[in-house]
Every structure is written in C-alpha cells, then in structure tokens.
C-alpha cells in the first residue's frame, strides 16, 4: 500500500512545494536571460562608443566650444588665449612617469575661460616648470569635469589639495569667474624644459559585457537543468 504522505512523488511534502520551486526557477530564468540580453545591448553601445572615440582622436581639431557635455568627451579641439599662471592648480596624479601632479591652468580667451590640463609634473618640478607669458594656442582633448574627488579622497579646496579635476570647484576656489564646464587635456606638444608633460590622456574603455552576458545565460541554463532534475525527482 502506498504511503498516505506521498503526493506527486514528493514524500512527506505538500504538492505546493514543487510548484513554488518551479515558479521561482522560471522567474530566475527570465531574470538571467533578461540580464544577458541587456549586457549584449550594452556591448553594442560600448563598441559604438569606442569607435566614436577612436574617430575623434584621429580627427582634425576644431575650435573649443563654449558648452560641452559627456557626448563631446575626447573631441580634439584648439583654444587660444593667455594662461593665468598665478591661478594654476595642482591635482595629484599617478602616471607612467610616476607620482606627481597634473597642472591645471586657466586659459583666458576672447570668448571664455577654460581650464587646461597642461600635463604632468613630478613633485620636484611643481615650482619649476614652463609658464608661458604670452598668447598661446592649445590643442588637446575635451574632458568632462570630475566632481567631488577621487575614490576615498575628497577634494579640499580650502587647503588647496586636489584629487580630481573638478572644474566648478577649482574655478570657485581660484575665483576665476565663469568657466566652460569642461577642461582640455593638452596634447604631447613639448614644453620648454620638458615640463609639464602633456599627451598622457589614457583612453581605455573596459568591455567585459560579452563575458557578463555569457555568465547570465550560463546561470539561466543551470537553472533549467536544476528544474529538470527537480521535475524528474518529483515523478520518481
């Protein structure tokens, strides 16, 4: 005689148990597949972004605009004006040349003022580097402001300690008045004496979306396998 506690092949368990587990499994499969598809869409977006930036890096420079946003990042531009060397800002940096500082100097032009990251100087060159006194033309890349600071290190405007290139905060601390909402990374054109060293912009985009997508799809497959095992045991 069959045990009265056996229902649908699940000894001692309510028939609701396999139904609940099945519902959870189906929900997980749907979620994993959705996440995998989303990562594939992100991969297409990232590849398009990389192609766009590569094209900008090799395009002829254009006049620096009065307004620019994230969509203009890494566009090559030129700007003319006079450097306000008395208002330069040093932002801590670690580069292929070692630790030191980025030198951010306001460039006052006929239409607007823009912060220019003239390049890298080691600590010993902080006070002894090229500071042009006359009109200059700068060629470089549009970079988007970096507000608030770096990871675990907040900018300290009052102490003139900077860990990120926060355009608005630097402009306020140095009383520059209105400035455009981006800065320019100067290119590798050499400066007298060798410092600052420009052209150190790192253009690299992490593109792991395919591996993430395969991970999510793999989890979906494993969940399907788990459900199949669940159903088979339920029928035994």
């Amino acid at each position: 005689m069959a045990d009265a506690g056996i229902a649908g092949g699940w000894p001692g368990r309510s028939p609701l148990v396999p139904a609940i587990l099945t519902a959870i499994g189906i929900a997980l499969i749907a979620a994993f597949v959705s996440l995998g598809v989303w990562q594939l869409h992100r991969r297409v977006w990232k590849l398009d972004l990389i192609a766009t930036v590569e094209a900008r890096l090799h395009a002829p420079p254009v006049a620096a605009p009065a307004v620019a946003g994230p969509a203009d990042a890494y566009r090559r531009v030129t700007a003319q004006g006079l450097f306000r060397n008395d208002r330069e800002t040093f932002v801590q940096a670690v580069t292929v040349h070692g630790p030191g500082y980025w030198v951010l100097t306001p460039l006052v032009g006929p239409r607007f003022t823009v912060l220019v990251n003239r390049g890298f100087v080691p600590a010993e060159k902080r006070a002894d580097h090229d500071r042009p006194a006359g009109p200059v033309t700068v060629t470089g890349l549009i970079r988007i402001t970096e507000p608030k600071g770096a990871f675990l290190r907040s900018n300290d405007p009052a102490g003139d300690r900077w860990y990120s290139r926060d355009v608005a905060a630097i402009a306020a601390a140095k009383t520059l008045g209105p400035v455009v909402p981006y800065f320019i990374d100067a290119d590798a054109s050499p400066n007298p004496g060798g410092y600052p060293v420009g052209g150190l912009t790192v253009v690299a985009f992490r593109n792991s979306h395919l591996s993430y997508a395969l991970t999510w799809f793999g989890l979906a497959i494993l969940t399907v396998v788990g459900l199949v095992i669940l159903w088979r045991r339920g029928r035994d």
Side-chain angles (χ1 to χ4, degrees), residues 188-201:
S189 300
N191 290 302
Y195 292 100
V197 180
L200 298 180
T201 306

PDB file of all heavy atoms in Angstrom, residues 188-201:
ATOM      1  N   ALA A 188      50.665  66.263 -26.699  1.00  0.00           N
ATOM      2  CA  ALA A 188      52.066  65.982 -26.356  1.00  0.00           C
ATOM      3  C   ALA A 188      53.051  67.008 -26.887  1.00  0.00           C
ATOM      4  O   ALA A 188      54.266  66.770 -26.848  1.00  0.00           O
ATOM      5  CB  ALA A 188      52.441  64.589 -26.860  1.00  0.00           C
ATOM      6  N   SER A 189      52.563  68.150 -27.363  1.00  0.00           N
ATOM      7  CA  SER A 189      53.490  69.195 -27.816  1.00  0.00           C
ATOM      8  C   SER A 189      54.447  69.536 -26.684  1.00  0.00           C
ATOM      9  O   SER A 189      54.005  69.847 -25.565  1.00  0.00           O
ATOM     10  CB  SER A 189      52.717  70.447 -28.247  1.00  0.00           C
ATOM     11  OG  SER A 189      51.835  70.147 -29.307  1.00  0.00           O
ATOM     12  N   PRO A 190      55.763  69.483 -26.931  1.00  0.00           N
ATOM     13  CA  PRO A 190      56.718  69.668 -25.832  1.00  0.00           C
ATOM     14  C   PRO A 190      56.720  71.089 -25.282  1.00  0.00           C
ATOM     15  O   PRO A 190      56.524  72.062 -26.029  1.00  0.00           O
ATOM     16  CB  PRO A 190      58.067  69.331 -26.483  1.00  0.00           C
ATOM     17  CG  PRO A 190      57.857  69.563 -27.939  1.00  0.00           C
ATOM     18  CD  PRO A 190      56.427  69.217 -28.224  1.00  0.00           C
ATOM     19  N   ASN A 191      56.904  71.201 -23.998  1.00  0.00           N
ATOM     20  CA  ASN A 191      57.057  72.489 -23.337  1.00  0.00           C
ATOM     21  C   ASN A 191      58.535  72.753 -23.077  1.00  0.00           C
ATOM     22  O   ASN A 191      59.301  71.808 -22.847  1.00  0.00           O
ATOM     23  CB  ASN A 191      56.294  72.508 -22.009  1.00  0.00           C
ATOM     24  CG  ASN A 191      54.794  72.502 -22.214  1.00  0.00           C
ATOM     25  OD1 ASN A 191      54.244  73.383 -22.863  1.00  0.00           O
ATOM     26  ND2 ASN A 191      54.118  71.502 -21.655  1.00  0.00           N
ATOM     27  N   PRO A 192      58.957  74.006 -23.090  1.00  0.00           N
ATOM     28  CA  PRO A 192      60.360  74.316 -22.787  1.00  0.00           C
ATOM     29  C   PRO A 192      60.769  73.741 -21.434  1.00  0.00           C
ATOM     30  O   PRO A 192      60.048  73.876 -20.446  1.00  0.00           O
ATOM     31  CB  PRO A 192      60.383  75.851 -22.771  1.00  0.00           C
ATOM     32  CG  PRO A 192      59.266  76.251 -23.679  1.00  0.00           C
ATOM     33  CD  PRO A 192      58.202  75.218 -23.468  1.00  0.00           C
ATOM     34  N   GLY A 193      61.904  73.080 -21.407  1.00  0.00           N
ATOM     35  CA  GLY A 193      62.368  72.457 -20.169  1.00  0.00           C
ATOM     36  C   GLY A 193      61.780  71.076 -19.933  1.00  0.00           C
ATOM     37  O   GLY A 193      62.172  70.393 -18.984  1.00  0.00           O
ATOM     38  N   GLY A 194      60.846  70.675 -20.772  1.00  0.00           N
ATOM     39  CA  GLY A 194      60.304  69.320 -20.680  1.00  0.00           C
ATOM     40  C   GLY A 194      59.090  69.163 -19.798  1.00  0.00           C
ATOM     41  O   GLY A 194      58.443  68.108 -19.823  1.00  0.00           O
ATOM     42  N   TYR A 195      58.743  70.184 -19.000  1.00  0.00           N
ATOM     43  CA  TYR A 195      57.596  70.079 -18.098  1.00  0.00           C
ATOM     44  C   TYR A 195      56.707  71.312 -18.225  1.00  0.00           C
ATOM     45  O   TYR A 195      57.222  72.412 -18.436  1.00  0.00           O
ATOM     46  CB  TYR A 195      58.061  69.929 -16.650  1.00  0.00           C
ATOM     47  CG  TYR A 195      58.754  68.626 -16.368  1.00  0.00           C
ATOM     48  CD1 TYR A 195      60.152  68.567 -16.314  1.00  0.00           C
ATOM     49  CD2 TYR A 195      58.034  67.456 -16.174  1.00  0.00           C
ATOM     50  CE1 TYR A 195      60.793  67.353 -16.062  1.00  0.00           C
ATOM     51  CE2 TYR A 195      58.665  66.257 -15.926  1.00  0.00           C
ATOM     52  CZ  TYR A 195      60.041  66.217 -15.872  1.00  0.00           C
ATOM     53  OH  TYR A 195      60.672  65.016 -15.628  1.00  0.00           O
ATOM     54  N   PRO A 196      55.395  71.085 -18.093  1.00  0.00           N
ATOM     55  CA  PRO A 196      54.655  69.826 -17.890  1.00  0.00           C
ATOM     56  C   PRO A 196      54.729  68.898 -19.107  1.00  0.00           C
ATOM     57  O   PRO A 196      54.952  69.350 -20.215  1.00  0.00           O
ATOM     58  CB  PRO A 196      53.209  70.285 -17.645  1.00  0.00           C
ATOM     59  CG  PRO A 196      53.290  71.738 -17.326  1.00  0.00           C
ATOM     60  CD  PRO A 196      54.475  72.253 -18.081  1.00  0.00           C
ATOM     61  N   VAL A 197      54.484  67.608 -18.844  1.00  0.00           N
ATOM     62  CA  VAL A 197      54.445  66.604 -19.907  1.00  0.00           C
ATOM     63  C   VAL A 197      52.994  66.369 -20.293  1.00  0.00           C
ATOM     64  O   VAL A 197      52.211  65.841 -19.506  1.00  0.00           O
ATOM     65  CB  VAL A 197      55.091  65.283 -19.441  1.00  0.00           C
ATOM     66  CG1 VAL A 197      55.034  64.248 -20.563  1.00  0.00           C
ATOM     67  CG2 VAL A 197      56.527  65.508 -18.996  1.00  0.00           C
ATOM     68  N   GLY A 198      52.645  66.781 -21.507  1.00  0.00           N
ATOM     69  CA  GLY A 198      51.280  66.602 -21.972  1.00  0.00           C
ATOM     70  C   GLY A 198      51.111  65.303 -22.740  1.00  0.00           C
ATOM     71  O   GLY A 198      52.037  64.501 -22.879  1.00  0.00           O
ATOM     72  N   GLY A 199      49.908  65.117 -23.250  1.00  0.00           N
ATOM     73  CA  GLY A 199      49.641  63.952 -24.073  1.00  0.00           C
ATOM     74  C   GLY A 199      49.558  62.642 -23.315  1.00  0.00           C
ATOM     75  O   GLY A 199      49.790  61.576 -23.897  1.00  0.00           O
ATOM     76  N   LEU A 200      49.212  62.709 -22.032  1.00  0.00           N
ATOM     77  CA  LEU A 200      49.171  61.488 -21.223  1.00  0.00           C
ATOM     78  C   LEU A 200      47.749  60.993 -20.974  1.00  0.00           C
ATOM     79  O   LEU A 200      47.532  60.160 -20.100  1.00  0.00           O
ATOM     80  CB  LEU A 200      49.864  61.725 -19.879  1.00  0.00           C
ATOM     81  CG  LEU A 200      51.352  62.078 -19.952  1.00  0.00           C
ATOM     82  CD1 LEU A 200      51.913  62.293 -18.546  1.00  0.00           C
ATOM     83  CD2 LEU A 200      52.136  60.998 -20.674  1.00  0.00           C
ATOM     84  N   THR A 201      46.802  61.488 -21.740  1.00  0.00           N
ATOM     85  CA  THR A 201      45.423  61.040 -21.576  1.00  0.00           C
ATOM     86  C   THR A 201      45.327  59.540 -21.818  1.00  0.00           C
ATOM     87  O   THR A 201      45.795  59.037 -22.840  1.00  0.00           O
ATOM     88  CB  THR A 201      44.498  61.759 -22.570  1.00  0.00           C
ATOM     89  OG1 THR A 201      44.680  63.167 -22.434  1.00  0.00           O
ATOM     90  CG2 THR A 201      43.041  61.398 -22.300  1.00  0.00           C
TER      91      THR A 201
END
